[in-house]
Amino acid sequence: MASKRNQDESSNANTKKKHKRSEERAQLSSVVDDEQVKKRVKEAWSRKSSCILGDLELDSQPFPHCVIKNFLGSEAFVENLQRELLGLNFHEKSNDLYKFKQSDDLKTRTEPHIAGLRTALFGPFRSWLGEVLGVELEPTVDISCAKYEYTDVLLCHDDELEGRRVAFILYLVPQWQSSDGGNLDLFTTDDHFQPQTIVKSIVPSWNTLALFEVSPVSFHQVSEVLSQDRCRLSLSGWFHGASLERPPRHLELPVLRSPHLPRDETLLLEWINPLYLDVSYQEQIQQEFEDSSEIQLKDFLREDRFREVDEALRLSHIQWTRRGPPNKRCYEAASLDALPHCVSSCLELLRSEAFFLLLSNFTGLRLHFLCPADDDDDDDDDDEDEEEEKKEEKDDDEEDAGDGEATGSATEAQSTDKELSSPLCCGELRRWSHGSYTLLHDAEAARAEFALDLLLPFGCADWQSEFGGFTCYVANEEDEELLTMSPEDNSLALVYRDKETLKFVKHVNHRSLSCRYFHDFSFVYFE
């Protein structure tokens, strides 16, 4: 028995040795081991100042961040680490904020160099970083690998999530230039802690670590990768600890809504394809819309009118203003003060009373007082019963007249006719080009309501879906797309959304340069 027990113990020891040998030790940069460097970095970070100490550079603008070149001491280790990472399975990730390929979480991977790096990062380096910042960082492991290829991007965001204290990125890229894209762009912020402009771009480089403290002002992005033959490979994650205090989030003023303009049906005759003014065809459209809550009406405007507006949008000197902030949107909106006459008239059409009524006929929504309410048919069926009930209530009130005026007032309120709704709209003329997008955000989710969206595009005859610029509808707090509307010349898109449905316009990428840009009228109508 003793002999067998000794053999088992020997076998277990060998197994442990083999397991131990399976993890390659990651040697960190000498600047991490230098006590004087650590002391000076700690002082600079606390004072929010900058310093350069060999391969380590600390900069306080636009927010404190640090870059360490030659982060891993062994070139052979870095090359083997890259090889192991490229052998992983990657999953396509795409939503309003980003498009790239990502590995599974690496906290349990057993590849020798991946495991060795993980141990070094969340062991010795975590301790070093905690001392530099003067905070206690938790041993939580949060790390994954990302591949950014041509047109991949991660748009403006601040990384804030409960427990995230420091973000890091380790670059494992080939020789890289700023013109290849994929840079880590850092934004300034305004007095409301909203991002403004990019003031620094960190170009990825081999075996370089970038890190920054996650805060209300740590807005950054990965610019679109423009290289068509190289991959931007990186490891990224967060060190966890107590989150920094956040001020109340800034709330934008809601967009002003307006009632319809008093314009009659002659405007429709001038602008709209006669097919859509046929009452029987409007009934077919309404039936289809009620079945799916969306529809696209092709060749919506009269051909001559569409061409006139399209040409004016391309050739006229319209004043365009960039709309932001970049953590919510980035596109150009037209100033409405000095538009070409035909463009201004098209806007007038979309705001006219006659068009409100036409939309009511298309959708069945109560966007005009002539449109019957949903419950009108039921009310008609129950008219006699309601009249009888009102008569009985009146008799009861007369009998109880001595009870005072309060009873009479309540009865009078109940018998008043339902007030007519006051439909409203808001809208703008937009221009979409390379780099344009809109993002989902908390304030939009909080203000979500029932509404009818309208899009009328111009100048997108050669536009391809791979360029981006399409409108996606998603369920709140979910990435799954419910509906995608691609821009199509002279095709009126109508979508009815509820309080749980949000929308965004996908980032317009580098492929779109062959077509330059397109325009659209974007309106929202409220019952």
Side-chain angles (χ1 to χ4, degrees):
M1 293 292 292
S3 174
K4 187 175 188 308
R5 183 166 54 251
N6 290 337
Q7 289 176 351
D8 290 344
E9 290 172 354
S10 176
S11 176
N12 289 338
N14 289 334
T15 301
K16 289 179 180 177
K17 287 181 182 178
K18 288 179 181 178
H19 179 71
K20 189 173 183 180
R21 283 199 303 269
S22 70
E23 181 179 300
E24 292 291 334
R25 180 175 177 272
Q27 180 182 350
L28 301 180
S29 170
S30 59
V31 297
V32 177
D33 296 325
D34 190 317
E35 288 297 323
Q36 288 301 314
V37 169
K38 180 169 65 176
K39 181 180 179 181
R40 292 179 62 182
V41 173
K42 182 176 182 179
E43 291 174 354
W45 201 295
S46 65
R47 295 196 309 265
K48 291 184 171 56
S49 61
S50 302
C51 66
I52 299 177
L53 302 166
D55 284 334
L56 185 149
E57 179 179 353
L58 174 64
D59 192 354
S60 62
Q61 297 300 323
F63 51 84
H65 60 278
C66 183
V67 176
I68 305 175
K69 297 178 181 178
N70 302 309
F71 179 69
L72 297 171
S74 168
E75 183 70 15
F77 184 98
V78 182
E79 291 174 353
N80 286 323
L81 174 63
Q82 181 194 46
R83 175 179 50 79
E84 289 177 1
L85 292 171
L86 290 174
L88 298 174
N89 291 322
F90 287 83
H91 311 284
E92 185 78 38
K93 307 282 287 185
S94 181
N95 61 14
D96 62 311
L97 185 63
Y98 50 70
K99 184 178 81 73
F100 62 93
K101 294 182 178 66
Q102 187 178 47
S103 72
D104 293 328
D105 198 307
L106 300 182
K107 65 182 177 183
T108 60
R109 299 298 303 192
T110 59
E111 288 84 353
H113 298 84
I114 294 176
L117 175 68
R118 185 177 62 232
T119 298
L121 273 176
F122 294 94
F125 188 72
R126 175 177 63 87
S127 299
W128 179 89
L129 188 57
E131 289 186 49
V132 165
L133 296 178
V135 299
E136 183 177 350
L137 297 176
E138 302 166 2
T140 305
V141 175
D142 197 340
I143 183 172
S144 62
C145 182
K147 285 199 305 185
Y148 286 77
E149 298 171 324
Y150 182 52
T151 72
D152 286 349
V153 69
L154 173 58
L155 299 171
C156 180
H157 64 292
D158 60 11
D159 263 12
E160 279 209 302
L161 195 66
E162 187 66 32
R164 291 179 179 176
R165 187 56 184 261
V166 179
F168 69 88
I169 312 100
L170 176 62
Y171 298 109
L172 299 168
V173 297
Q175 188 173 2
W176 202 269
Q177 297 178 351
S178 178
S179 58
D180 293 322
N183 303 315
L184 178 62
D185 295 331
L186 309 183
F187 290 79
T188 57
T189 50
D190 61 19
D191 294 338
H192 299 296
F193 300 95
Q194 293 296 290
Q196 292 181 302
T197 57
I198 297 168
V199 293
K200 185 172 182 178
S201 292
I202 299 172
V203 181
S205 62
W206 177 258
N207 191 19
T208 294
L209 183 82
L211 62 89
F212 57 86
E213 203 166 15
V214 176
S215 75
V217 298
S218 59
F219 284 99
H220 61 283
Q221 70 176 15
V222 176
S223 66
E224 182 184 357
V225 171
L226 305 179
S227 173
Q228 299 190 40
D229 56 2
R230 281 178 288 179
C231 164
R232 179 192 184 276
L233 187 71
S234 64
L235 283 162
S236 60
W238 295 271
F239 293 98
H240 288 249
S243 299
L244 293 174
E245 183 178 353
R246 177 170 191 112
R249 292 187 181 274
H250 173 66
L251 295 179
E252 294 180 304
L253 294 175
V255 179
L256 293 178
R257 302 175 183 179
S258 305
H260 58 65
L261 299 174
R263 305 289 188 274
D264 61 25
E265 64 276 4
T266 56
L267 195 60
L268 303 184
L269 296 172
E270 294 173 9
W271 278 91
I272 294 175
N273 183 337
L275 174 68
Y276 295 110
L277 302 180
D278 181 84
V279 175
S280 61
Y281 194 56
Q282 291 175 10
E283 292 175 354
Q284 294 179 38
I285 292 171
Q286 184 178 140
Q287 182 61 55
E288 184 176 339
F289 183 86
E290 289 177 346
D291 290 342
S292 60
S293 297
E294 58 91 8
I295 198 167
Q296 284 192 278
L297 306 178
K298 299 181 185 299
D299 301 320
F300 182 71
L301 298 181
R302 300 177 68 103
E303 181 67 18
D304 57 336
R305 288 294 195 175
F306 175 81
R307 294 301 169 199
E308 183 182 9
V309 174
D310 186 42
E311 183 175 0
L313 291 173
R314 285 187 291 108
L315 302 180
S316 300
H317 296 289
I318 297 173
Q319 181 180 344
W320 299 96
T321 303
R322 178 71 62 177
R323 288 212 59 206
N327 63 324
K328 296 176 181 176
R329 62 189 71 85
C330 180
Y331 62 86
E332 293 174 296
S335 171
L336 305 184
D337 297 333
L339 291 174
H341 176 71
C342 63
V343 177
S344 180
S345 297
C346 191
L347 276 169
E348 184 178 310
L349 166 72
L350 300 177
R351 291 185 55 199
S352 68
E353 179 179 1
F355 195 77
F356 271 64
L357 179 57
L358 183 65
L359 290 179
S360 293
N361 293 340
F362 285 160
T363 65
L365 299 175
R366 193 170 177 81
L367 295 173
H368 194 278
F369 70 91
L370 292 180
C371 178
D374 291 340
D375 56 356
D376 278 0
D377 291 340
D378 293 337
D379 290 345
D380 290 341
D381 293 340
D382 296 335
D383 274 350
E384 293 184 3
D385 292 339
E386 288 183 0
E387 288 299 324
E388 184 64 28
E389 289 176 6
K390 288 179 181 179
K391 182 178 179 181
E392 292 177 0
E393 288 174 1
K394 182 178 180 181
D395 292 342
D396 290 341
D397 289 341
E398 289 175 352
E399 292 177 3
D400 297 335
D403 292 342
E405 294 182 359
T407 305
S409 298
T411 305
E412 183 179 352
Q414 291 174 2
S415 63
T416 57
D417 291 333
K418 184 179 179 180
E419 291 186 8
L420 294 175
S421 61
S422 300
L424 302 171
C425 75
C426 57
E428 59 185 344
L429 171 58
R430 309 181 297 185
R431 181 164 71 178
W432 300 93
S433 58
H434 181 216
S436 300
Y437 60 84
T438 66
L439 299 176
L440 305 175
H441 52 90
D442 294 340
E444 182 183 28
R447 292 175 174 172
E449 56 187 307
F450 294 96
L452 176 68
D453 293 333
L454 175 149
L455 287 176
L456 182 58
F458 291 80
C460 48
D462 298 320
W463 198 264
Q464 306 294 321
S465 60
E466 64 178 12
F467 298 170
F470 47 84
T471 301
C472 292
Y473 287 83
V474 298
N476 192 9
E477 298 184 354
E478 295 182 20
D479 283 348
E480 183 180 358
E481 295 177 3
L482 303 175
L483 174 68
T484 298
M485 285 288 188
S486 296
E488 183 179 340
D489 263 354
N490 200 12
S491 179
L492 185 80
L494 299 174
V495 179
Y496 186 67
R497 54 185 163 87
D498 59 23
K499 294 181 179 180
E500 297 302 316
T501 303
L502 303 176
K503 62 177 178 177
F504 66 88
V505 178
K506 188 64 175 176
H507 174 259
V508 178
N509 62 51
H510 190 256
R511 292 188 175 97
S512 67
L513 292 180
S514 60
C515 291
R516 294 186 61 198
Y517 52 75
F518 73 91
H519 305 89
D520 66 23
F521 290 97
S522 172
F523 270 72
V524 184
Y525 298 84
F526 306 89
E527 291 183 281

